[in-house]
Amino acid sequence: MSSIPAWKKVLKEHVRVHGGRMTPRRMQIAEVFFSMHGHPGIEALLAEVRTRFPGIGEATVYRTMKLLCEAGLAEALEFGEGYSRFEATFTPGGPSDHHDHLICLECGGIVEFGDPEIELLQDRAATNHGFEIRSHRLEIFGVCPACLKAASPSRA
């Protein structure tokens, strides 16, 4: 017996509490988003939605992603590309683990990483300033090893 994924329960409850409707198209878009890996932009998401469910319009995808963000199931991220990428903030067992990002300025690749030392430093900085952290993001922009190698073949 398969159970309903946790994100579906959260989404349905969010829509119910806020007086909206959970339409089949919204659910289809959410299913596509949660099946994708990485940090898809709206164009990649739209292309995948249209491949699986022809006839779903761009505006419906935009509105559904806004809904997923409002429900705390996704986050819109800006990586300096001029458009938003989306990241699931909810995993099958519950909220996703915190992580930060390394972003390649050449190829646009994104590497997720976690570092307990960075988290401790952030907590200490907040404590030293009497600040209560509610959320944070760390994005490091640079050039990935593959792009460095391609730019300078003598580098190994």
Side-chain angles (χ1 to χ4, degrees):
M1 180 175 139
S2 72
S3 63
I4 297 173
W7 66 262
K8 283 187 180 183
K9 293 176 185 176
V10 171
L11 181 57
K12 286 179 179 181
E13 180 63 12
H14 176 82
V15 170
R16 185 191 68 75
V17 167
H18 291 87
R21 287 186 25 231
M22 193 64 242
T23 66
R25 288 183 182 235
R26 283 180 169 177
M27 190 58 72
Q28 290 168 334
I29 294 164
E31 286 174 356
V32 169
F33 171 69
F34 283 106
S35 74
M36 295 179 80
H37 299 288
H39 304 81
I42 198 74
E43 292 300 322
L45 178 61
L46 181 59
E48 188 64 23
V49 165
R50 286 183 170 163
T51 296
R52 295 190 202 178
F53 304 103
I56 293 180
E58 186 174 346
T60 305
V61 173
Y62 273 99
R63 284 192 303 268
T64 301
M65 291 313 299
K66 181 179 180 200
L67 176 66
L68 291 177
C69 290
E70 290 169 352
L73 294 168
E75 183 178 6
L77 303 171
E78 293 286 334
F79 292 129
E81 300 166 301
Y83 63 92
S84 293
R85 290 178 177 259
F86 294 93
E87 178 173 70
T89 56
F90 200 89
T91 58
S96 62
D97 291 330
H98 173 75
H99 61 269
D100 297 303
H101 299 96
L102 297 167
I103 300 111
C104 180
L105 294 168
E106 298 295 321
C107 69
I110 301 168
V111 175
E112 295 179 347
F113 74 97
D115 186 323
E117 288 185 51
I118 290 174
E119 299 304 313
L120 289 172
L121 288 172
Q122 292 170 150
D123 291 343
R124 185 171 47 193
T127 299
N128 289 344
H129 294 278
F131 202 81
E132 181 179 312
I133 297 174
R134 299 289 169 94
S135 70
H136 78 276
R137 289 187 351 195
L138 175 62
E139 297 166 352
I140 300 172
F141 295 85
V143 181
C144 72
C147 290
L148 284 171
K149 186 175 180 180
S152 177
S154 63
R155 284 183 149 166

